[in-house]
Amino acid sequence: MLRIDINILFMMINLLILYVLIRKFLFKPVHNILAKRDEEIKAKYADADRTKQDAQALKDQYENSVKELEASREEKIAAARKDADAEYDRIVADANGKSDAIVDEARKKAQAAADQEKHKAEEEISGMVKDAAAKIAEAQSDEKLYDDFLKQVSADPKQEG
């Protein structure tokens, strides 16, 4: 039969004591450390989820801001184009007005030059007419003097000799 030896009994008691001591001093602290670590990991996961949600909220806010800026930019571009078109129309109208004024002034100068040339031509023609009239008058005057001379000579034959 079985014989229980005292060594076996002490060995069993030692094993039980060792088990209790290991459990109390080794397993409990290790379980506590593992539980704390598990809590820290869960807290970090929760913190990461909150950070992810905050990042997503910031991303959504950023996208909304970008959309608003795009809309504002488009409005400003449209307004700038409208202003540029108005300025272009104003500049073109101003240039057309100035060109019309320049053309009118050129016409007036051309008309004045034509009038001046006409006046010079009239003066030249008038001078020519006067010269011609003077020559005609001189020619008639020479004939009259010749006729008068002949009359005097024929009337006074004594004066000749």
Side-chain angles (χ1 to χ4, degrees), residues 3-85:
R3 233 174 60 148
I4 298 182
D5 192 13
I6 199 125
N7 282 336
I8 293 179
L9 186 63
F10 280 132
M11 193 157 107
M12 288 176 102
I13 292 174
N14 280 339
L15 280 174
L16 284 175
I17 292 172
L18 187 61
Y19 174 74
V20 170
L21 287 175
I22 288 175
R23 188 165 181 201
K24 183 174 181 164
F25 292 114
L26 184 64
F27 287 140
K28 277 191 178 181
V30 169
H31 280 291
N32 288 340
I33 289 171
L34 289 176
K36 286 179 184 178
R37 207 131 149 96
D38 191 35
E39 287 175 15
E40 286 177 8
I41 290 171
K42 287 179 183 177
K44 286 187 179 185
Y45 275 124
D47 193 31
D49 285 339
R50 278 192 305 271
T51 304
K52 185 178 178 182
Q53 290 172 354
D54 291 343
Q56 185 64 37
L58 288 173
K59 181 183 174 190
D60 292 341
Q61 183 181 1
Y62 169 75
E63 288 174 353
N64 288 337
S65 295
V66 167
K67 287 178 184 176
E68 289 174 5
L69 287 174
E70 284 292 323
S72 174
R73 182 180 66 92
E74 291 297 325
E75 288 174 4
K76 288 180 181 179
I77 288 173
R81 282 188 181 142
K82 185 179 177 183
D83 291 344
D85 288 342

Side-chain angles (χ1 to χ4, degrees), residues 109-143:
K109 285 182 180 179
Q111 183 64 37
D115 289 345
Q116 190 177 17
E117 288 297 319
K118 185 178 174 183
H119 184 65
K120 279 183 182 178
E122 287 175 353
E123 285 179 1
E124 285 180 17
I125 291 173
S126 172
M128 292 168 129
V129 168
K130 287 179 185 177
D131 287 343
K135 285 183 182 178
I136 290 172
E138 186 178 309
Q140 287 177 353
S141 163
D142 285 344
E143 264 182 41

